[in-house]
Amino acid sequence: MPKALRVAVIGCGYFASFHLNAWRKLADVEIAAVCDLDEAKARAAAQKYGAARWFTDAACMLREARPDFVDIVTTMPSHRGLVSLCAADGLPVIVQKPFAPTYADCLAMVEACRVAGVPLMVHENFRFQPPLRRVREVLDTGVIGTPLWARISFRTGQDVKAPQPYLYDEERFIILDLGVHVFDVARFFLGEVDTVYARHRRIDPRIRGEDMATAMLGHANGATSIVDFTYESRKLPDLASQTLVSIEGTMGAVELGPDFRLAITSNGKLAVENSSKPLPIWRPPVHPAQDSVYHTQAHWLDSLRQGREPETSGRDNLRTFAIVEAAYESAASGQAVRPAQ
Ligand SMILES: NC(=O)c1ccc[n+]([C@@H]2O[C@H](COP(=O)([O-])OP(=O)(O)OC[C@H]3O[C@@H](n4cnc5c(N)ncnc54)[C@H](O)[C@@H]3O)[C@@H](O)[C@H]2O)c1
């Protein structure tokens, strides 16, 4: 039996409930402590999710609760300070996306953890959604041959700003908040990106940033992908948190359509399956993004126990973040941009 790992969670707001629910369900991990600047939130989370202790000061929690690792579920302006705190204490750390407001902050966190010799993972959960893992599996079998072209799409009109009101004030909104997930999925399927051409616009006049964007990515292996995402789609049925994928290769195609219908074409033959594998741990409706939180955290635990670098380590996430920066630069200049390497 592996020893149970003790997690300390920083941030007990909207999205932390998914993390805490998943930590509670995962085997061999216990919630040692939770922390929020808001005492009422910290106390309520400890009570609801069975944390032994609660705190309002992260440094104090790390000193007193002595966890095995830390899960940061605060919004991005606090990430650099909190990750540095964990690195200074020699504690492995998993931190929510977006990694940070700037690429320089991301680099600083990666460097702080490298110097301290502690593992760092970004909670980049989309690629851990079971239907997207299944697409990756299909690619790995080689049945569609070499991927040449893809479209990856996330379009909804769901009100994401109601539970996350801070999104109204983000100067850089949808590319950084949502595009970062979809770009990571593009890397997951087609590999590294060497050119980005993007356009974006603001539809909801109440926000500061942009809420609709499309990018064309040139992958280093010669493939091209179209990546599009919006929170202002009026199309019905609204597919809410579903990511749609279409990939064509030299021998066939794989398409993840609405409601997780997976169509695989290989050598002129079509096979169709349902790729949905919902976990029974959430209140209905089952949500693929919520499922992926569990799988992301399971991957982190596994990597920590095996001493392996996680798929979406801080170092790896620099490449996804560089695509975000390139997309903003491209949208501003009207030119294709090479992401930082
Ligand atoms: N991966 C996903 O699918 C997904 C979905 C939604 C949100 N998120 C991300 O999750 C993160 C948190 O979002 P949220 O909506 O839960 O935000 P939130 O504002 O509801 O919660 C954040 C909490 O962190 C606390 N906090 C901030 N700084 C702190 C500090 N130094 N010490 C202790 N507590 C501190 C705040 O008081 C707040 O309660 C964001 O980065 C967001 O982008 C990810």
Side-chain angles (χ1 to χ4, degrees), residues 118-166:
V118 301
L120 167 65
M121 174 172 167
V122 176
H123 183 118
E124 177 42 77
N125 52 320
F126 271 35
R127 65 160 73 192
F128 292 99
Q129 294 175 20
L132 298 183
R133 296 310 274 195
R134 178 68 188 123
V135 171
R136 183 66 252 176
E137 251 172 46
V138 171
L139 296 178
D140 289 341
T141 62
V143 292
I144 80 156
T146 305
L148 303 170
W149 177 92
R151 179 180 174 191
I152 304 165
S153 185
F154 186 106
R155 311 188 74 81
T156 181
Q158 226 187 19
D159 186 5
V160 296
K161 298 181 288 279
Q164 303 170 96
Y166 53 88

Side-chain angles (χ1 to χ4, degrees), residues 10-16 35-38 41 73-76 78-79 82 96-98 123 125-126 164 166 177 181:
I10 307 179
C12 300
Y14 161 66
F15 208 66
C35 171
D36 199 292
L37 297 173
D38 180 334
K41 285 188 188 175
V73 207
T74 60
T75 49
M76 61 181 172
S78 55
H79 289 177
L82 293 170
Q96 253 298 342
K97 55 54 72 177
H123 183 118
N125 52 320
F126 271 35
Q164 303 170 96
Y166 53 88
D177 182 65
H181 288 301

Side-chain angles (χ1 to χ4, degrees), residues 59-78:
C60 176
M61 172 172 78
L62 302 190
R63 241 185 353 260
E64 295 194 13
R66 307 184 74 78
D68 293 312
F69 71 92
V70 179
D71 182 22
I72 299 175
V73 207
T74 60
T75 49
M76 61 181 172
S78 55

Side-chain angles (χ1 to χ4, degrees), residues 43-307:
R43 190 188 297 126
Q47 199 168 29
K48 183 164 181 191
Y49 297 101
R53 305 179 68 181
W54 59 267
F55 295 82
T56 54
D57 179 80
C60 176
M61 172 172 78
L62 302 190
R63 241 185 353 260
E64 295 194 13
R66 307 184 74 78
D68 293 312
F69 71 92
V70 179
D71 182 22
I72 299 175
V73 207
T74 60
T75 49
M76 61 181 172
S78 55
H79 289 177
R80 182 169 171 179
L82 293 170
V83 167
S84 305
L85 185 71
C86 297
D89 272 3
L91 288 168
V93 57
I94 174 166
V95 59
Q96 253 298 342
K97 55 54 72 177
F99 200 1
T102 69
Y103 189 72
D105 287 332
C106 301
L107 275 175
M109 287 185 274
V110 170
E111 185 57 9
C113 290
R114 188 192 66 78
V115 169
V118 301
L120 167 65
M121 174 172 167
V122 176
H123 183 118
E124 177 42 77
N125 52 320
F126 271 35
R127 65 160 73 192
F128 292 99
Q129 294 175 20
L132 298 183
R133 296 310 274 195
R134 178 68 188 123
V135 171
R136 183 66 252 176
E137 251 172 46
V138 171
L139 296 178
D140 289 341
T141 62
V143 292
I144 80 156
T146 305
L148 303 170
W149 177 92
R151 179 180 174 191
I152 304 165
S153 185
F154 186 106
R155 311 188 74 81
T156 181
Q158 226 187 19
D159 186 5
V160 296
K161 298 181 288 279
Q164 303 170 96
Y166 53 88
L167 294 176
Y168 282 103
D169 297 320
E170 296 295 350
E171 221 162 297
R172 307 199 301 171
F173 174 21
I174 203 165
I175 295 180
L176 188 50
D177 182 65
L178 174 62
V180 73
H181 288 301
V182 194
F183 291 152
D184 185 67
V185 170
R187 286 184 57 227
F188 183 47
F189 292 149
L190 297 178
E192 300 311 336
V193 168
D194 59 17
T195 50
V196 180
Y197 175 76
R199 286 167 63 96
H200 65 61
R201 63 185 296 183
R202 175 186 308 140
I203 308 300
D204 181 346
R206 299 169 301 167
I207 64 169
R208 281 183 77 191
E210 77 296 348
D211 49 12
M212 184 176 277
T214 303
M216 187 170 104
L217 308 182
H219 293 265
N221 59 11
T224 301
S225 63
I226 304 294
V227 173
D228 59 284
F229 39 89
T230 183
Y231 288 133
E232 291 297 329
S233 174
R234 301 284 170 256
K235 189 172 147 187
L236 294 175
D238 191 316
L239 296 173
S241 55
Q242 295 183 36
T243 308
L244 304 185
V245 178
S246 180
I247 304 174
E248 296 190 18
T250 48
M251 282 160 46
V254 56
E255 181 157 35
L256 178 61
D259 301 324
F260 316 108
R261 178 185 185 272
L262 192 75
I264 304 162
T265 306
S266 181
N267 288 320
K269 290 206 175 71
L270 174 67
V272 176
E273 61 181 77
N274 179 351
S275 65
S276 175
K277 291 198 182 114
L279 292 167
I281 64 172
W282 315 106
R283 280 193 301 266
V286 170
H287 191 295
Q290 293 169 354
D291 278 3
S292 64
V293 169
Y294 177 95
H295 295 297
T296 304
Q297 293 178 187
H299 176 76
W300 162 253
L301 290 175
D302 219 36
S303 307
L304 208 53
R305 289 206 172 96
Q306 312 288 328

